Structure formats: C-alpha cells, structure tokens
Amino acid sequence: MTDSSHLTLMDLALDEARAALSTGDVPIGAVITGPDGSVLATGRNEREAHGDPTAHAELVAIRSAARALREAGTDDGWRLEDCTLVVTLEPCAMCAGAIVLSRIPRVVFGAWDEKAGAVGSVFDILREPRLNHWVEVYPGVREEECGRLLSEFFRARRQK
C-alpha cells in the first residue's frame, strides 16, 4: 500500500534524478528517511561525475545516511534500521545487496527495470528467503513519471 508520504518523498527523489542530468548521469534519484520520517540523506547517480561504477543513487544515499547516523551517535551508524529508501528506479543487484546488508526495512521505487531490476523484474534479492534480512517493497510509485524521465534521457542519447 502506497501512502501520501511515499508520493511526497518520490518528489524529492525525482528532483535528485533531474539533478543527475547536469553531469550527464542517468537520471536516477534516491531519498532515505530516518526512523522519525525526516529526510536523512539523498543521492543521485554520480557514475559519470566521479568515474565510479558503484556511484548509483541508492549507494550514494546509503553512504550518506550511514554517515549521518554515525555523526548523530546512533548505534554503529551502518544499520539503517527503521529507515525507508525511496528511489526512482527498481534497484539493481548491487544496490539490492547493499540494501539488505544495511538492514533497510522498506523500499519504495518508481519505474520497473525489466533488464537489470533485482526487486522482482530479473531477481528478487530483497525478498530472498535464504538471506538474513527481508525488505518490505512498495513498487510502481509514480511509475509513469519516473519511467518517462529515463526514457527521455535514453532517447536523447540515441539521437546524438
């Protein structure tokens, strides 16, 4: 069930995705809220900006959230328990693995990724029963808008 906070947080994730366009990165954005529901961290794809193949929006946000929790003196800082990740595209296998390892209990995403998605499209890592952590998933939040942003980006790249 999608609630109004998911829609509002997806606005922030879409803003991050649009900001990725300024560096030529694929427009994917992410937001992580803390246990109290406030924004703890944001991220956008930065692979082109930093020449880092692991700089996906989710990983940028996870690193930032862990740093914020550590600086706030919350536990050890790397367990993002009771946080929520909102991202414009279904996470890939690398990001899904990081979500599991960081113990994020909820993921909200926009567009499905039929080629590389690891939350139901190609794999379902977040709900793999053999892993030690499972994630509640809210798919398809503002799916059309998230998908259109990506489609327009790739259409423009093909035309160049």
Side-chain angles (χ1 to χ4, degrees), residues 61-119:
I62 287 169
R63 289 177 184 133
S64 180
R67 190 170 35 255
L69 288 175
R70 191 171 46 255
E71 289 170 0
T74 305
D75 292 326
D76 51 26
W78 67 265
R79 286 182 182 89
L80 302 182
E81 295 166 339
D82 208 23
C83 292
T84 300
L85 169 68
V86 178
V87 62
T88 57
L89 181 66
E90 176 185 5
C92 69
M94 175 181 66
C95 293
I99 291 164
V100 169
L101 293 173
S102 63
R103 309 295 197 273
I104 295 172
R106 282 172 302 285
V107 170
V108 177
F109 71 85
W112 290 91
D113 185 349
E114 300 296 329
K115 294 180 180 178
V119 186

Side-chain angles (χ1 to χ4, degrees), residues 125-141:
I125 292 170
L126 298 188
R127 293 172 286 202
E128 171 55 54
R130 293 172 290 185
L131 296 177
N132 66 338
H133 177 74
W134 305 281
V135 180
E136 193 174 350
V137 177
Y138 299 89
V141 175

Side-chain angles (χ1 to χ4, degrees), residues 11-77:
D11 273 333
L12 297 174
L14 281 161
D15 288 345
E16 287 294 317
R18 289 183 197 100
L21 293 169
S22 68
T23 57
D25 278 287
V26 177
I28 300 170
V31 174
I32 295 178
T33 61
D36 65 355
S38 65
V39 174
L40 186 59
T42 61
R44 67 180 72 105
N45 267 10
E46 296 180 351
R47 294 184 309 172
E48 299 298 328
H50 298 296
D52 178 355
T54 69
H56 289 203
E58 300 94 329
L59 291 182
V60 171
I62 287 169
R63 289 177 184 133
S64 180
R67 190 170 35 255
L69 288 175
R70 191 171 46 255
E71 289 170 0
T74 305
D75 292 326
D76 51 26

